[in-house]
Amino acid sequence: SPPVEVASTVGAGDALVAGVLAARLDGNDLETCARRGTAFAAGKLARVGPVPPTPERVAALVGAVRLHPLGNA
């Protein structure tokens, strides 16, 4: 999986929410929304300031996101 270098954590939470919402507005299911939001937040970690990750970086990170069920689900 692509490494995520952390330059700043500022804005990562906002990026996660934005990624989830954008994926949902595109009509995606919850799993896809979680993957895209996580990838968007991970991509934001490498950038300082109000600079989002590139679409190419997000696409590369989406495949590296692993989801695991919690509890007895």
Side-chain angles (χ1 to χ4, degrees), residues 8-70:
S8 173
T9 60
V10 175
D14 294 333
L16 180 116
V17 172
V20 168
L21 289 174
R24 187 67 188 130
L25 289 172
D26 285 344
N28 291 289
D29 61 12
L30 182 57
E31 182 176 322
T32 301
C33 292
R35 286 181 191 283
R36 195 179 307 170
T38 302
F40 197 74
K44 173 61 186 100
L45 292 174
R47 296 179 166 243
V48 176
V51 182
T54 65
E56 295 80 17
R57 181 64 175 150
V58 174
L61 289 167
V62 164
V65 174
R66 301 289 177 253
L67 302 178
H68 301 280
L70 295 175

